[in-house]
Amino acid sequence: MRTALHAAPYVDDKGIELRLSMSIGVAALSQRPGSLDELIKFADQAMYAAKNQGRNRVVTFTPHAPIA
Protein backbone atom coordinates (compact mmCIF):
# COMPACT_ATOMS: atom_id res chain seq x y z
CA MET A 1 0.00 0.00 0.00
CA ARG A 2 2.82 2.40 0.92
CA THR A 3 4.81 1.78 -2.27
CA ALA A 4 1.70 1.93 -4.48
CA LEU A 5 0.70 5.29 -2.98
CA HIS A 6 4.17 6.72 -3.59
CA ALA A 7 4.42 5.29 -7.13
CA ALA A 8 1.17 6.87 -8.37
CA PRO A 9 1.40 10.66 -8.64
CA TYR A 10 -1.44 12.72 -7.23
CA VAL A 11 -2.58 15.67 -9.34
CA ASP A 12 -4.32 18.44 -7.45
CA ASP A 13 -7.13 20.61 -8.79
CA LYS A 14 -4.57 23.09 -10.23
CA GLY A 15 -2.80 20.35 -12.20
CA ILE A 16 0.22 20.21 -9.89
CA GLU A 17 1.69 16.71 -9.59
CA LEU A 18 2.60 15.59 -6.08
CA ARG A 19 4.20 12.42 -4.72
CA LEU A 20 2.58 11.22 -1.52
CA SER A 21 4.27 9.22 1.20
CA MET A 22 3.02 7.16 4.10
CA SER A 23 4.67 6.43 7.45
CA ILE A 24 3.25 3.40 9.23
CA GLY A 25 3.75 2.18 12.79
CA VAL A 26 2.99 -1.45 13.60
CA ALA A 27 2.64 -2.94 17.07
CA ALA A 28 1.45 -6.25 18.57
CA LEU A 29 0.83 -7.43 22.11
CA SER A 30 0.97 -11.14 21.36
CA GLN A 31 3.77 -11.98 23.81
CA ARG A 32 2.26 -10.54 27.00
CA PRO A 33 -1.06 -9.20 28.24
CA GLY A 34 -1.76 -5.58 27.44
CA SER A 35 -4.49 -3.06 26.92
CA LEU A 36 -5.79 -1.49 23.73
CA ASP A 37 -4.47 1.88 24.95
CA GLU A 38 -1.00 0.36 25.33
CA LEU A 39 -1.17 -1.14 21.84
CA ILE A 40 -2.14 2.22 20.33
CA LYS A 41 0.68 3.92 22.26
CA PHE A 42 3.23 1.42 20.87
CA ALA A 43 1.92 1.81 17.29
CA ASP A 44 2.06 5.61 17.66
CA GLN A 45 5.68 5.42 18.86
CA ALA A 46 6.54 3.24 15.87
CA MET A 47 4.85 5.68 13.46
CA TYR A 48 6.86 8.62 14.81
CA ALA A 49 10.02 6.50 14.57
CA ALA A 50 9.18 5.91 10.88
CA LYS A 51 8.80 9.66 10.32
CA ASN A 52 12.05 10.40 12.15
CA GLN A 53 13.92 7.80 10.09
CA GLY A 54 13.09 9.57 6.84
CA ARG A 55 9.37 9.02 6.29
CA ASN A 56 7.72 6.76 3.72
CA ARG A 57 8.50 3.58 5.62
CA VAL A 58 7.07 0.98 7.99
CA VAL A 59 8.51 0.57 11.49
CA THR A 60 7.53 -2.26 13.83
CA PHE A 61 7.53 -1.65 17.57
CA THR A 62 8.27 -4.69 19.71
CA PRO A 63 7.77 -4.16 23.42
CA HIS A 64 10.48 -5.70 25.54
CA ALA A 65 9.75 -7.67 28.64
CA PRO A 66 10.60 -5.77 31.81
CA ILE A 67 14.07 -6.48 33.18
CA ALA A 68 13.86 -8.14 36.59
Side-chain angles (χ1 to χ4, degrees), residues 13-58:
D13 57 349
K14 295 178 183 176
I16 298 171
E17 185 176 296
L18 304 168
R19 292 287 174 170
L20 304 177
S21 65
M22 180 184 302
S23 297
I24 301 171
V26 179
L29 292 175
S30 61
Q31 296 181 7
R32 62 183 174 90
S35 68
L36 180 58
D37 287 338
E38 187 178 32
L39 179 63
I40 292 169
K41 180 179 118 180
F42 291 153
D44 192 52
Q45 288 175 8
M47 181 196 62
Y48 280 104
K51 289 181 177 190
N52 289 332
Q53 292 175 24
R55 301 180 184 262
N56 202 33
R57 64 188 64 230
V58 177

Side-chain angles (χ1 to χ4, degrees), residues 26-28 31-32 42 46 59-65:
V26 179
Q31 296 181 7
R32 62 183 174 90
F42 291 153
V59 171
T60 303
F61 179 86
T62 305
H64 300 287

